Amino acid sequence: MSEFFHMGGYGAYIWSAMATALVLMLLEPMMLVVKRRAVLKDIKRIKRLEERQNRKN
Amino acid sequence: MNFYPLAGKLIPIFWLAAIVLTAIGLYWGFFKTADAMDNGMKEYYRIIYVHVASAWMAMWLYAVMVAWAMIGLIFNTRLSFMMASATAITGTIMTIIALVTGAIWGKTSWGTWWDWDPKLTTFLILLFVYIGYIALQSAIDDTRRSDKASALLALVGLAIVPVIYYAVNCPDPNQCASLHQESSLKRVESNILIGMLVTTLGFWMYSFATILMRARNIILERERNTSWVSKLNEVN
Amino acid sequence: MTLEVKNLQCIRGDRELFTDLSFQLEESQLMMLEGQNGSGKTTLLRSLCGLYLQDQGEILWNGISIKKQDEDYRRELLYLGHLNGIKADLTVLENLRFNATLAGKIPSTDKLMQALDTIGLYAFEDFPTSQLSQGQKRRVALARLLISKAKLWILDEPFVALDIAAVELLQSIIANHVDNGGMVILTTHQEVPLTSGKIKRLSLSEEQDNLPSSAK
Amino acid sequence: MTLEVKNLQCIRGDRELFTDLSFQLEESQLMMLEGQNGSGKTTLLRSLCGLYLQDQGEILWNGISIKKQDEDYRRELLYLGHLNGIKADLTVLENLRFNATLAGKIPSTDKLMQALDTIGLYAFEDFPTSQLSQGQKRRVALARLLISKAKLWILDEPFVALDIAAVELLQSIIANHVDNGGMVILTTHQEVPLTSGKIKRLSLSEEQDNLPSSAK
Amino acid sequence: MMSAFWVLLKRDLLLALRRRSEIFTVLFFFLIVISLFPLGVGSEDATLKKIAPGVVWIAALLASTLALDRLFANDYLDGTLEQLTLAPQSLSVMVFAKMIAHWLLTGLPLVLIAPLVGLFYHLPSNTIGVMMLVLLLGTPVLSMIGAIAAALTLGLRGGGVLVSLLVLPLYIPVLVYGAGAISASMVEGLSIQPYLLLLSAFMLLALIFSPWATAAALKISLE
Amino acid sequence: MMSAFWVLLKRDLLLALRRRSEIFTVLFFFLIVISLFPLGVGSEDATLKKIAPGVVWIAALLASTLALDRLFANDYLDGTLEQLTLAPQSLSVMVFAKMIAHWLLTGLPLVLIAPLVGLFYHLPSNTIGVMMLVLLLGTPVLSMIGAIAAALTLGLRGGGVLVSLLVLPLYIPVLVYGAGAISASMVEGLSIQPYLLLLSAFMLLALIFSPWATAAALKISLE
Ligand code: HEM
Ligand SMILES: Nc1ncnc2c1ncn2[C@@H]1O[C@H](COP(=O)(O)OP(=O)(O)OP(=O)(O)O)[C@@H](O)[C@H]1O
Ligand SMILES: Nc1ncnc2c1ncn2[C@@H]1O[C@H](COP(=O)(O)OP(=O)(O)OP(=O)(O)O)[C@@H](O)[C@H]1O
Ligand SMILES: [Mg+2]
Ligand SMILES: [Mg+2]
């Protein structure tokens, strides 16, 4: 097993390349989800405001 | 706006496909291939699976982005502009992955992180073009203007990027007639090729998924005051 | 000649400035556009010039959309906005000559000097406009009215920075233009008696409140 | 506190704008500066601020020349010129806070918001000023008056671009300041009834004609 | 139509002459860039000759970028740009006049000062000739591509840097073949004709497309 | 007094960094400038090492000059500059705040990106260290001298030529010793200490004189 990760001495390079790809490709969707939550929250806020406005009128 | 719910249904499917395909591709690449290539490369050639997949995606997504921008300019459809800007960021990330994994590869096989060879230079420039597009778009507040301005920039890029590619690959026109870049794909063993192609397919699916997610975010953000958004399930 | 506006709608940011705005302007008519600060007067005037693309609706000049005939329409149009549109490093005369030539006619220096004289800039023709006072700069911009052959004048707060004499002068220039079959659309927050032609009034602010929608 | 002007003379280019100009302003006094376009009102006001160095004469604040005490004098001074002095890229609130801090006090956000509310910019606080209309921009600049502690206000055509409601509001702000012992010098070409305090009038245009001397 | 072209060209030149400092800033920048390298690299003849083509072109690129800001920004701020778009003339023609003025003020001076570069870098005289020729062919392309970017970024904050970011990558073909031609002229037996042909082709393309694209960009930005 | 300093510094940074993306814009701008040279000059190892010192300093010069406009011109046009001079604070202090903001936005990013230059140009690691150090010492001087020039040319007609003729050559010593130090660090046995001393001396001089000179120049320009 450790031989597999060792990769004939190139393990550090190979796995850091894989890790770069993995990290970036996980980070991107994570940030998209965070962004989506923020937008939804803002929409809910606007809606709340509108509803209160309507009740007042 | 029936794009929004449709995209919402498609995203999980693309995610599933992306994970499965990438996993198969990498599994194949790591376990079904020899430890060294015919041309003497050692285990480190296995970087190729992410490297080539991301490099190809970077180029393809540029084409996709320009296509969306053009459709937007011609038919003045707002969705196309949104798709264009959603594509740009995924394309940039793919370009960065290609550059970083390429640099790591370079360190193992040439002993240097960076060299000014045409292919690498082209990619660096591609990154600059992507960044320019994104920078212009984020510098403009007014969405109408930023859509159109960045689409026009993409159009200008469409005219000039091929010229840049030509110039970087053939700086000496006296010898350009003999320019013939042989794809090294032909020399590659078929098992490696399978791993590469399947991973690339996985990356395609990943790109679809993230682009659709981003497009949905953009739509929500721009239409947050409309009634159809306030009727969505997500906000109730 | 007529200017016709049909169901115009303009949205800035997330605010709807006006919707379903329609009116018609004939020769020898003057229209006063009214509304409080931020009600969308400038936006409307710029839309009429084609500088801002409305979100919905149509603007027709002689029955044809202004988008389809832009050079013909622009030949009949004179727009004066919040900015004077003069170069600080050029002299008064150079500025006026440039503006006139751009509008399509190459006027004689005599005619230009006469216009400057009328507008109250006699003997200032060789001053760089950077050395003029605020009101004098505005006059340089207004001198274009005197040499223009355009039918439709669109003036956004033309009286700003002018002294009382100049305000009167400008009123008579406008009245004259209307009497000669011209059309004028203007905004102003100042009370000025414009007595000529058939004055139309269009008011923007009643239609809605003045808050950004996020605060509504 | 008094502002005293003695034998002031200003020459711009080859034109003498005014000579031997003297006046005095006490607390609770308002001075209207009158004169046609180009008569030198702005030049005089800028001289009073120390932005333009007069050719002759003296400007004294509490009996001491303003050149010799500039920071002390500037602490008592608020100048609003033809330019609004606001940054287009900052939001309304950021602009106001910056201007206030620069003047020496660090105000609370509540106070700033209240000032914006009074001046008619409620709910606009997060707009970049580039997205405001002409009159709204002017209001951002004027909001400084509401949080200022300066004694002497020098206002160069403050009513420009404001709608009728805002003109009235500004008048009451000025009247209030004068009533509370402040001093105001202002110019305007608009007719506005300023009813408070003891109004002084100073007219620049009678003193001479309005031509550059080369044409005399 | 032509009258608008000429009057605008004349006006832009006049404005620049009134404010000579701007022309000089560009020239000075160019000269500083040119003279910095011999100082760092040392004055070996071979090295100097080797880097001269690249350095000249990069200096030209950067100098041209430096002045892009001015192309439309001032007109935008004082309202003359909106008057231009409202004039009953084709906007592309007027934009073209402005491009030419920009080139006359930033490109042409560089062509004229090229012999000085030759002197600094010990270049043979035929190379100097080639250098002037390719600068003459290439710098207009820089002005024309630059105009598009300047129009797109009109009134945006971060102006200067943003424009450079957009425009410098697009300049690369001109840089590669412009510098290539000068290098080739120093090698016995290499023909520079293909370079010149390519540069002319770029110029032609730019001539056809850039006034149109710039006018479109201006309209988008003014909205 | 200090509050005006901080609030102005904060404002200028805020204006420049209105969005986070603008920091990246500056960094990528440097990257582009840095990668233009190998394209123009060729990418042999020896050549790259030789031009590296010149390249980083030119990038610094360009960035500093491109952003000079932002230093006072915008404030002048929208009237904030006249408000600054009327504030009950020392103008030199405020000017100094603006210089620091300018450096933070144009000089510092370059210092930070220097390691990447090392990577691209195959520089040894001690040279990278030296490069960062001299950039840290030299770029503030560029900002400070630039500020004087910017203040003097503000709204000036014609006369600006003289000013740029006077001020731009003042950049040259900084560039020469800055580039010299980097070159020296690549040569075995050469001490870079004299370079560093000179650069520090320039910085000290600039620190003492430039805020004062700039404030004086501003007052003249505003009259
Ligand atoms: C520092 C950056 C890079 C290094 C060191 C590097 C190195 C390599 C190497 C050694 C190979 C093996 C195949 C061969 O020998 O031809 C390879 C393949 C490949 N590289 Fe890169 N690369 C880098 C960046 C890039 C970039 C930016 C691209 C973008 C196009 C790219 C695209 C490819 C492709 C498509 C292959 C697959 C083989 C082919 O189709 O030619 N590489 N790379
Ligand atoms: N560039 C812009 N981006 C977004 N919104 C804008 C922009 N310019 C103006 N607005 C908004 O549009 C509204 C109308 O502005 P407009 O300039 O048309 O008003 P106006 O009626 O001319 O007011 P004023 O009397 O003050 O000149 C304003 O409330 C302003 O907030
Ligand atoms: N920078 C300058 N250089 C030379 N002369 C100037 C300069 N600025 C203004 N002047 C001249 O000084 C005179 C007075 O200008 P000033 O701006 O003080 O007039 P004003 O009374 O404020 O006029 P307005 O009512 O139009 O604002 C003008 O005639 C102008 O020609
Ligand atoms: Mg308006
Ligand atoms: Mg005035």
Side-chain angles (χ1 to χ4, degrees):
Chain A
M1 192 64 191
S2 82
E3 198 164 302
F4 174 73
F5 285 108
H6 187 60
M7 282 275 160
Y10 297 107
Y13 294 106
I14 296 178
W15 298 120
S16 62
M18 295 292 161
T20 315
L22 190 70
V23 166
L24 281 175
M25 290 170 82
L26 284 179
L27 219 59
E28 191 192 358
M30 266 159 60
M31 283 168 71
L32 285 172
V33 169
V34 169
K35 174 81 187 173
R36 179 176 162 84
R37 293 216 180 111
V39 177
L40 286 178
K41 210 174 131 197
D42 193 44
I43 293 171
K44 280 180 195 152
R45 186 187 62 90
I46 291 174
K47 227 177 129 180
R48 265 205 327 272
L49 260 172
E50 264 167 10
E51 271 160 14
R52 199 180 64 177
Q53 206 80 24
N54 289 343
R55 248 178 284 129
K56 268 187 197 160
N57 293 343
Chain B
M1 268 297 161
N2 42 27
F3 170 83
Y4 182 86
L6 180 66
K9 286 199 193 92
L10 287 178
I11 287 170
I13 301 175
F14 283 128
W15 269 121
L16 190 69
I19 292 166
V20 169
L21 285 171
T22 311
I24 292 176
L26 288 180
Y27 172 79
W28 201 271
F30 275 95
F31 296 104
K32 301 284 174 188
T33 54
D35 280 349
M37 276 211 269
D38 308 342
N39 53 9
M41 285 189 178
K42 292 276 188 46
E43 281 93 335
Y44 59 75
Y45 79 83
R46 285 184 169 130
I47 297 174
I48 207 171
Y49 302 113
V50 276
H51 175 66
V52 170
S54 56
W56 279 346
M57 286 319 298
M59 293 187 288
W60 272 110
L61 290 179
Y62 183 77
V64 171
M65 178 191 88
V66 171
W68 280 124
M70 261 172 59
I71 295 173
L73 276 184
I74 294 169
F75 300 105
N76 201 19
T77 43
R78 292 191 306 155
L79 183 60
S80 331
F81 290 126
M82 297 182 204
M83 288 303 281
S85 54
T87 311
I89 294 177
T90 302
T92 311
I93 287 171
M94 287 297 163
T95 316
I96 292 173
I97 294 177
L99 282 169
V100 173
T101 54
I104 292 172
W105 188 327
K107 188 66 187 169
T108 56
S109 80
W110 312 329
T112 172
W113 294 103
W114 182 260
D115 198 25
W116 295 96
D117 119 318
K119 201 157 66 176
L120 311 193
T121 312
T122 312
F123 248 63
L124 190 61
I125 296 170
L126 183 64
L127 178 67
F128 294 155
V129 173
Y130 270 127
I131 296 284
Y133 178 91
I134 294 170
L136 179 65
Q137 193 160 52
S138 68
I140 307 177
D141 284 321
D142 187 45
T143 51
R144 252 176 25 163
R145 178 177 165 193
S146 83
D147 279 349
K148 287 190 198 161
S150 53
L152 191 67
L153 182 69
L155 209 63
V156 173
L158 177 69
I160 300 183
V161 166
V163 183
I164 298 176
Y165 183 78
Y166 179 78
V168 169
N169 281 285
C170 162
D172 184 354
N174 281 308
Q175 287 158 21
C176 267
S178 65
L179 179 84
H180 173 65
Q181 264 202 339
E182 177 203 0
S183 171
S184 30
L185 274 186
K186 288 190 190 119
R187 294 187 273 111
V188 170
E189 188 201 325
S190 65
N191 267 335
I192 298 178
L193 197 63
I194 292 172
M196 236 159 70
L197 289 177
V198 176
T199 317
T200 309
L201 218 60
F203 275 39
W204 258 117
M205 295 301 128
Y206 167 86
S207 305
F208 279 143
T210 50
I211 289 170
L212 288 180
M213 281 170 80
R214 189 171 293 107
R216 268 163 59 102
N217 281 354
I218 296 173
I219 291 172
L220 277 185
E221 206 175 6
R222 291 194 184 178
E223 313 252 316
R224 59 173 166 234
N225 286 312
T226 56
S227 57
W228 74 264
V229 166
S230 59
K231 287 196 196 92
L232 283 175
N233 288 331
E234 300 74 319
V235 291
N236 286 321
Chain C
M1 297 191 178
T2 51
L3 180 76
E4 209 181 333
V5 168
K6 278 188 185 159
N7 307 320
L8 208 63
Q9 181 189 43
C10 273
I11 301 174
R12 295 231 70 163
D14 49 7
R15 292 180 55 209
E16 204 174 73
L17 292 178
F18 44 82
T19 11
D20 260 344
L21 186 80
S22 305
F23 64 87
Q24 194 167 351
L25 199 72
E26 311 272 335
E27 288 182 27
S28 296
Q29 277 190 336
L30 181 148
M31 192 171 88
M32 285 274 271
L33 193 59
E34 288 166 349
Q36 53 197 99
N37 289 141
S39 55
K41 300 180 297 298
T42 301
T43 310
L44 175 58
L45 294 187
R46 291 176 71 87
S47 305
L48 294 181
C49 297
L51 280 173
Y52 182 79
L53 291 187
Q54 68 275 14
D55 294 274
Q56 264 172 46
E58 265 191 315
I59 302 168
L60 306 173
W61 176 248
N62 293 334
I64 307 165
S65 165
I66 61 166
K67 282 184 208 161
K68 293 196 185 113
Q69 47 156 8
D70 38 43
E71 286 188 30
D72 288 340
Y73 176 54
R74 295 202 307 247
R75 193 162 297 118
E76 300 295 341
L77 177 72
L78 187 153
Y79 171 68
L80 190 79
H82 287 303
L83 295 169
N84 289 324
I86 55 177
K87 300 296 297 181
D89 284 345
L90 295 182
T91 66
V92 173
L93 186 62
E94 284 165 348
N95 262 306
L96 186 58
R97 181 180 291 126
F98 174 75
N99 281 335
T101 316
L102 207 62
K105 47 207 140 304
I106 299 148
S108 68
T109 304
D110 273 359
K111 213 168 155 208
L112 296 177
M113 294 292 281
Q114 205 183 317
L116 288 179
D117 193 0
T118 314
I119 208 78
L121 290 171
Y122 180 71
F124 277 94
E125 69 270 11
D126 286 334
F127 274 53
T129 48
S130 62
Q131 291 186 11
L132 297 182
S133 80
Q134 199 72 3
Q136 289 170 326
K137 282 179 192 154
R138 194 73 183 160
R139 288 175 191 226
V140 179
L142 287 168
R144 287 172 57 209
L145 298 179
L146 293 169
I147 44 172
S148 155
K149 295 237 161 30
K151 260 263 141 55
L152 175 62
W153 291 359
I154 296 189
L155 311 175
D156 199 354
E157 304 194 28
F159 300 104
V160 154
L162 296 180
D163 60 23
I164 298 164
V167 168
E168 268 168 28
L169 175 70
L170 180 56
Q171 281 185 59
S172 74
I173 294 173
I174 292 174
N176 209 13
H177 180 65
V178 174
D179 288 344
N180 290 331
M183 303 149 80
V184 178
I185 306 182
L186 66 83
T187 67
T188 175
H189 294 299
Q190 244 162 302
E191 275 311 311
V192 280
L194 277 161
T195 41
S196 66
K198 309 155 210 160
I199 293 191
K200 284 189 158 188
R201 281 172 192 274
L202 184 70
S203 190
L204 284 180
S205 42
E206 295 150 59
E207 294 172 25
Q208 92 232 6
D209 66 338
N210 206 18
L211 296 180
S213 68
S214 48
K216 271 179 204 169
Chain D
M1 297 194 176
T2 51
L3 180 76
E4 210 181 334
V5 169
K6 279 188 185 163
N7 307 318
L8 209 63
Q9 180 190 44
C10 273
I11 300 175
R12 296 228 69 161
D14 50 5
R15 293 178 55 206
E16 204 173 72
L17 291 178
F18 44 82
T19 13
D20 261 343
L21 188 80
S22 305
F23 65 86
Q24 193 168 348
L25 200 71
E26 310 273 333
E27 289 183 25
S28 294
Q29 278 191 335
L30 181 148
M31 191 170 87
M32 284 273 272
L33 193 58
E34 289 168 349
Q36 54 196 102
N37 289 143
S39 55
K41 300 180 296 301
T42 300
T43 311
L44 176 57
L45 294 187
R46 290 175 72 87
S47 306
L48 293 181
C49 297
L51 281 172
Y52 182 78
L53 291 188
Q54 67 276 15
D55 295 276
Q56 265 171 43
E58 268 192 313
I59 302 168
L60 307 173
W61 176 249
N62 293 335
I64 307 164
S65 165
I66 60 167
K67 283 182 206 161
K68 293 195 186 115
Q69 49 156 4
D70 37 49
E71 287 190 27
D72 288 339
Y73 176 53
R74 295 204 305 250
R75 194 161 296 122
E76 299 296 339
L77 177 73
L78 187 153
Y79 171 68
L80 191 78
H82 287 304
L83 296 169
N84 288 326
I86 56 176
K87 301 297 297 179
D89 285 344
L90 294 182
T91 65
V92 172
L93 185 63
E94 283 164 349
N95 263 304
L96 187 59
R97 179 179 293 126
F98 174 75
N99 283 335
T101 316
L102 205 63
K105 49 205 139 305
I106 298 149
S108 70
T109 304
D110 272 0
K111 212 166 156 210
L112 297 176
M113 295 292 281
Q114 204 183 319
L116 289 179
D117 193 359
T118 313
I119 207 79
L121 289 171
Y122 178 72
F124 277 94
E125 68 270 11
D126 285 334
F127 273 53
T129 50
S130 62
Q131 291 188 12
L132 297 182
S133 80
Q134 199 72 4
Q136 289 168 327
K137 282 179 193 154
R138 194 76 183 155
R139 289 175 190 224
V140 178
L142 288 169
R144 285 171 60 208
L145 298 180
L146 292 170
I147 43 173
S148 156
K149 295 236 160 32
K151 260 262 143 47
L152 174 62
W153 291 0
I154 298 190
L155 311 174
D156 199 355
E157 303 196 27
F159 300 104
V160 153
L162 296 180
D163 62 21
I164 298 165
V167 168
E168 269 166 28
L169 174 69
L170 179 57
Q171 281 184 61
S172 73
I173 293 172
I174 292 174
N176 210 14
H177 180 63
V178 174
D179 289 344
N180 291 331
M183 304 150 79
V184 178
I185 306 183
L186 66 82
T187 69
T188 175
H189 294 299
Q190 243 162 300
E191 274 312 311
V192 280
L194 277 162
T195 41
S196 66
K198 309 156 210 163
I199 293 191
K200 283 191 159 189
R201 280 172 192 274
L202 183 71
S203 189
L204 284 179
S205 43
E206 295 151 58
E207 296 172 23
Q208 92 230 8
D209 66 341
N210 203 19
L211 296 180
S213 69
S214 49
K216 271 182 202 167
Chain E
M1 174 142 139
M2 272 306 110
S3 76
F5 177 87
W6 287 116
V7 78
L8 194 55
L9 181 60
K10 233 175 70 188
R11 187 203 70 161
D12 271 18
L13 294 179
L14 195 66
L15 279 172
L17 292 180
R18 293 260 158 95
R19 240 174 226 280
R20 266 159 303 182
S21 66
E22 291 174 354
I23 308 176
F24 275 82
T25 311
V26 172
L27 259 185
F28 246 111
F29 178 82
F30 185 74
L31 280 179
I32 291 182
V33 173
I34 299 276
S35 41
L36 197 58
F37 280 93
L39 293 170
V41 174
S43 50
E44 289 157 45
D45 230 46
T47 322
L48 283 185
K49 285 205 173 98
K50 185 137 195 289
I51 62 168
V55 169
V56 176
W57 268 104
I58 287 166
L61 246 60
L62 299 182
S64 176
T65 320
L66 194 63
L68 273 185
D69 236 14
R70 236 175 291 145
L71 197 50
F72 299 115
N74 287 343
D75 283 359
Y76 175 65
L77 286 177
D78 63 19
T80 35
L81 191 60
E82 85 191 5
Q83 292 295 342
L84 285 187
T85 58
L86 288 179
Q89 323 269 353
S90 150
L91 188 57
S92 328
V93 171
M94 291 190 282
V95 158
F96 189 51
K98 287 187 78 71
M99 287 173 186
I100 291 181
H102 183 259
W103 178 75
L104 287 174
L105 295 167
T106 64
L108 192 59
L110 303 190
V111 177
L112 297 178
I113 216 167
L116 208 63
V117 182
L119 214 70
F120 280 4
Y121 285 77
H122 308 303
L123 300 181
S125 62
N126 82 309
T127 301
I128 297 182
V130 171
M131 192 152 81
M132 292 178 79
L133 186 63
V134 290
L135 280 174
L136 200 63
L137 284 174
T139 45
V141 182
L142 303 185
S143 294
M144 288 191 274
I145 296 178
I148 305 177
L152 283 174
T153 55
L154 202 61
L156 300 182
R157 48 179 152 250
V161 176
L162 185 61
V163 176
S164 327
L165 189 69
L166 298 185
V167 104
L168 286 175
L170 303 182
Y171 283 166
I172 289 174
V174 179
L175 167 68
V176 169
Y177 294 116
I182 303 175
S183 300
S185 78
M186 286 190 272
V187 181
E188 207 64 45
L190 265 188
S191 159
I192 60 158
Q193 210 170 336
Y195 293 98
L196 297 184
L197 282 178
L198 276 169
L199 285 175
S200 314
F202 294 158
M203 172 126 100
L204 210 71
L205 269 179
L207 270 177
I208 296 171
F209 286 113
S210 76
W212 169 84
T214 312
L218 276 183
K219 276 187 194 144
I220 292 172
S221 296
L222 269 180
E223 267 209 359
Chain F
M1 175 139 138
M2 273 305 109
S3 79
F5 177 87
W6 288 117
V7 77
L8 193 55
L9 181 62
K10 230 175 76 186
R11 186 204 71 161
D12 271 20
L13 292 179
L14 192 67
L15 274 174
L17 306 179
R18 197 64 272 200
R19 315 146 205 276
R20 268 162 300 154
S21 66
E22 274 178 50
I23 315 173
F24 293 102
T25 311
V26 178
L27 287 178
F28 272 100
F29 164 75
F30 286 129
L31 243 139
I32 292 177
V33 173
I34 287 161
S35 29
L36 282 180
F37 279 87
L39 284 173
V41 177
S43 54
E44 285 157 45
D45 225 47
T47 320
L48 285 184
K49 285 207 173 91
K50 278 193 174 154
I51 61 171
V55 170
V56 283
W57 276 105
I58 283 162
L61 179 62
L62 181 70
S64 187
T65 319
L66 266 179
L68 267 190
D69 240 16
R70 253 202 311 230
L71 201 48
F72 299 117
N74 288 345
D75 283 358
Y76 176 65
L77 287 176
D78 62 21
T80 34
L81 192 60
E82 87 192 2
Q83 292 295 343
L84 286 188
T85 59
L86 287 179
Q89 323 269 352
S90 151
L91 188 56
S92 326
V93 171
M94 289 190 283
V95 160
F96 189 52
K98 287 185 78 72
M99 287 173 184
I100 290 181
H102 183 260
W103 176 76
L104 286 175
L105 294 165
T106 64
L108 190 61
L110 195 58
V111 176
L112 297 179
I113 212 165
L116 214 59
V117 182
L119 202 77
F120 277 3
Y121 284 70
H122 306 306
L123 298 182
S125 61
N126 80 311
T127 303
I128 297 181
V130 172
M131 193 151 80
M132 291 178 80
L133 189 62
V134 291
L135 284 173
L136 202 60
L137 285 175
T139 45
V141 184
L142 298 186
S143 294
M144 288 190 273
I145 295 176
I148 306 179
L152 278 170
T153 46
L154 204 61
L156 210 67
R157 252 184 88 202
V161 190
L162 196 69
V163 173
S164 54
L165 284 178
L166 287 177
V167 168
L168 288 178
L170 294 179
Y171 281 150
I172 291 179
V174 179
L175 300 181
V176 170
Y177 290 113
I182 302 174
S183 301
S185 77
M186 284 189 273
V187 181
E188 206 64 48
L190 266 187
S191 161
I192 59 158
Q193 208 169 342
Y195 293 97
L196 297 185
L197 281 179
L198 276 170
L199 286 175
S200 314
F202 293 153
M203 173 127 102
L204 211 70
L205 270 179
L207 268 177
I208 296 171
F209 286 113
S210 74
W212 169 82
T214 310
L218 276 184
K219 275 188 193 143
I220 295 171
S221 298
L222 271 180
E223 270 217 348

